[in-house]
Amino acid sequence: LFKEIQNSARYHFLIKQPYLSTLMLLGFLKNSNHFSPKEIESLFITSYFKDVGMSLIPKDKHDSRNLSDIDKQSFHNHPEHSAQILNGRIPISTNYLDIMLNHHQFYSMLESKQNNQDKDQNIDDSEALKHIAGAETLFVCIFDILAALITPRPYRKAMTLYEALELIRSIMIKDHANEFKHIVLFVRKYFT
């Protein structure tokens, strides 16, 4: 059973990715010296449990390359399910549940850039960025994306850390250049 869990994408989505993104976020927060121990603890809990709503999606959907529109909507709705499941069950305030709800704010921009759809269309990234409520949400989003990009999925190969940072730079540089600089400095210090 353990081998089956390890080899499935569901294990990745429910255990590996939250763990990897949370460890990177934790290192970044501690390294930055801008967050109190209580804030770091709350962001750790938020990041680690942000994908618990994925547990409501049937196992066979996690490994599928071809999803129906309903299946895609289930994946899209997992932040809301996570917040509903965890509300009142873990020791975090509603502010952190809001971070959990918004931890996918950059994904649409990322997918657009990955698919090169924005070459012909003038997509304004600032519209999606308006929904980012504070640096905490931004950092949870970005480390979640970074963990996703550097690990393989059923539908794509893993990117190198450099490739992932280049893609992230393309969605952050206009409105969050300083935050991106801090992420790069952290990654350079600990991962190169």
Side-chain angles (χ1 to χ4, degrees):
L1 177 64
F2 184 70
K3 284 193 182 270
E4 180 184 330
I5 290 171
Q6 273 189 313
N7 293 329
S8 77
R10 183 174 183 163
Y11 175 78
H12 174 77
F13 287 126
L14 295 176
I15 298 171
K16 284 184 182 178
Q17 174 149 350
Y19 185 69
L20 178 59
S21 66
T22 301
L23 284 179
M24 288 189 295
L25 176 68
L26 180 63
F28 174 79
L29 295 173
K30 286 187 164 214
N31 189 62
S32 74
N33 296 318
H34 293 298
F35 297 90
S36 72
K38 181 62 179 164
E39 289 171 319
I40 291 172
E41 177 184 324
S42 294
L43 286 165
F44 174 84
I45 292 168
T46 300
S47 180
Y48 190 71
F49 290 105
K50 69 188 173 301
D51 292 322
V52 76
M54 298 278 278
S55 63
L56 300 176
I57 299 168
K59 178 185 173 188
D60 63 317
K61 302 300 181 189
H62 288 263
D63 294 318
S64 179
R65 290 177 184 221
N66 300 313
L67 297 172
S68 70
D69 289 340
I70 293 171
D71 296 333
K72 289 176 186 176
Q73 192 62 42
S74 294
F75 279 94
H76 179 75
N77 291 339
H78 85 270
E80 290 85 6
H81 296 301
S82 295
Q84 289 168 355
I85 291 167
L86 297 171
N87 190 12
R89 292 189 171 137
I90 58 175
I92 60 172
S93 71
T94 55
N95 294 340
Y96 293 96
L97 289 174
D98 287 342
I99 292 170
M100 194 178 292
L101 283 168
N102 292 302
H103 82 271
H104 275 246
Q105 287 301 318
F106 279 116
Y107 275 95
S108 61
M109 293 185 314
L110 178 71
E111 288 172 352
S112 173
K113 293 203 182 284
Q114 276 185 302
N115 296 330
N116 294 320
Q117 292 174 356
D118 58 335
K119 284 184 178 177
D120 297 330
Q121 304 166 10
N122 191 7
I123 296 173
D124 185 8
D125 292 345
S126 62
E127 189 59 37
L129 295 173
K130 288 178 186 175
H131 302 290
I132 300 294
E136 295 88 351
T137 305
L138 175 72
F139 293 133
V140 170
C141 287
I142 293 304
F143 282 105
D144 189 49
I145 290 171
L146 186 59
L149 293 175
I150 63 174
T151 54
R153 294 295 171 87
Y155 50 87
R156 64 156 174 78
K157 292 181 180 179
M159 289 183 172
T160 67
L161 187 57
Y162 177 77
E163 291 168 334
L165 284 171
E166 274 299 307
L167 190 55
I168 289 169
R169 183 191 66 73
S170 72
I171 60 174
M172 287 185 73
I173 200 66
K174 182 178 174 188
D175 295 305
H176 299 284
N178 197 39
E179 291 87 348
F180 179 73
K181 177 182 149 192
H182 289 294
I183 290 169
V184 169
L185 291 173
F186 166 72
V187 169
R188 195 177 284 160
K189 183 175 181 179
Y190 292 101
F191 293 98
T192 57

